[in-house]
Amino acid sequence: SVDEILTDLKSEPEPPLPAPPVVAPDWRTAAAVVAARPPGTAVRYLLIDLESGQVLAELNPDLPLIPASTVKLATAIAALDVLGPEHRFRTELLADGVVEDGVLHGDLILRGGGDPFLDLADLLGLAVRLQSSGIRTVDGRFLIDDTALPRFSEIEPRQPPEAAYNASIGALSVAFNRVHLAWWGGGRIDAAALPPLYEARFESAPPARLPPGGVELKRNDEREVVWRVADRGRRRQVIELPVKDPGLHAGYLFRQLAGAQGISL
């Protein structure tokens, strides 16, 4: 019968696949790549087969260097071990009060859970759901809660604060905490950012007094962020700029999106 055939098939273990042979890389090609590197740079690597422990390739294995982006691998392994592969980050909109006739009598709270891929579309989705829930007015405060993670205004204090790769860190981080900034000079600064940088203010400065990119952080405190930008007349200038207060940035963005849905915060 079919059941007997299936039972026989299930009882027969499949033969194990043969292990692929360990093939060492072509060291001549690697040496040629290393030899062609720019002057003043250093290279090190160590490649080991985990099954046998065999060293497949190495060059300056004990030379200490900054690991740079390869740290992401260690971070990912730790996150998978602690959180698990099924973990999903949550960004929540919470009401601390009673809703009556479309009015929230209390506070509205935007709480971040550290989602690294949070973007404007996600905040817009929350604003639309808030409006769809029937809430038209919030008579309390609009608060942000980014206490799930430590908050830093930059990744590395020894790196330039205006560098796009040196963005801030927090539990509410929109679009990797970077914006595209375009500005014009000519006596006063007209600046536009995407996503909008509502919490920041821009002041003009002579280009010679600024870093090569034409942008310098003047002030960063709990009330505002002030950037000095080069005034080169009506010539348009574009740069990628880091966000300095990720929670405040996310809060301003959501308030604007909620306002577009007719809800004033």
Side-chain angles (χ1 to χ4, degrees):
S1 67
V2 174
D3 290 338
E4 292 174 343
I5 295 175
L6 291 177
T7 301
D8 292 340
L9 290 175
K10 292 179 180 178
S11 62
E12 296 178 3
E14 295 184 1
L17 296 175
V22 176
V23 179
D26 183 357
W27 64 268
R28 297 180 185 85
T29 302
V33 173
V34 172
R37 70 185 187 272
T41 61
V43 177
R44 59 156 294 185
Y45 56 81
L46 177 64
L47 183 63
I48 301 175
D49 176 59
L50 291 180
E51 295 294 332
S52 65
Q54 177 186 351
V55 175
L56 303 180
E58 63 178 320
L59 175 68
N60 301 325
D62 299 319
L63 176 66
L65 295 176
I66 298 174
S69 292
T70 56
V71 173
K72 297 172 185 175
L73 296 174
T75 304
I77 292 172
L80 286 171
D81 183 58
V82 174
L83 303 176
E86 301 302 320
H87 177 79
R88 295 296 180 267
F89 295 94
R90 294 175 61 87
T91 302
E92 300 175 302
L93 199 59
L94 307 174
D96 184 17
V98 179
V99 179
E100 295 179 341
D101 299 325
V103 179
L104 170 58
H105 298 285
D107 297 333
L108 186 70
I109 305 165
L110 178 65
R111 182 166 68 186
D115 183 0
F117 291 103
L118 184 69
D119 60 22
L120 277 176
D122 297 318
L123 292 184
L124 177 60
L126 284 176
V128 170
R129 291 177 63 183
L130 178 65
Q131 194 270 344
S132 300
S133 69
I135 294 178
R136 300 185 302 274
T137 305
V138 178
D139 65 5
R141 300 168 297 173
F142 171 51
L143 307 173
I144 57 172
D145 180 359
D146 61 354
T147 57
L149 291 176
R151 185 195 306 119
F152 299 102
S153 62
E154 53 199 2
I155 296 173
E156 174 52 71
R158 292 172 294 182
Q159 292 289 324
E162 71 276 1
Y165 60 78
N166 199 18
S168 52
I169 302 173
L172 277 169
S173 298
V174 181
F176 303 106
N177 291 328
R178 295 194 296 265
V179 303
H180 291 276
L181 176 72
W183 77 93
W184 297 260
R188 72 182 182 88
I189 296 297
D190 295 321
L194 185 69
L197 206 57
Y198 297 112
E199 73 277 12
R201 186 165 56 85
F202 300 92
E203 296 180 353
S204 64
R209 298 183 181 179
L210 299 178
V215 177
E216 181 181 59
L217 182 64
K218 177 181 178 181
R219 184 168 68 250
N220 176 29
D221 54 40
E222 294 184 357
R223 297 194 61 86
E224 70 173 351
V225 179
V226 180
W227 293 95
R228 301 172 70 229
V229 296
D231 188 344
R232 296 187 174 98
R234 298 308 294 172
R235 168 187 163 193
R236 183 173 71 100
Q237 302 172 79
V238 180
I239 197 173
E240 196 174 22
L241 201 63
V243 171
K244 287 303 171 184
D245 191 325
L248 188 64
H249 179 63
Y252 273 117
L253 290 174
F254 182 80
R255 185 175 73 173
Q256 190 74 8
L257 294 170
Q261 303 300 315
I263 304 172
S264 177
L265 302 179

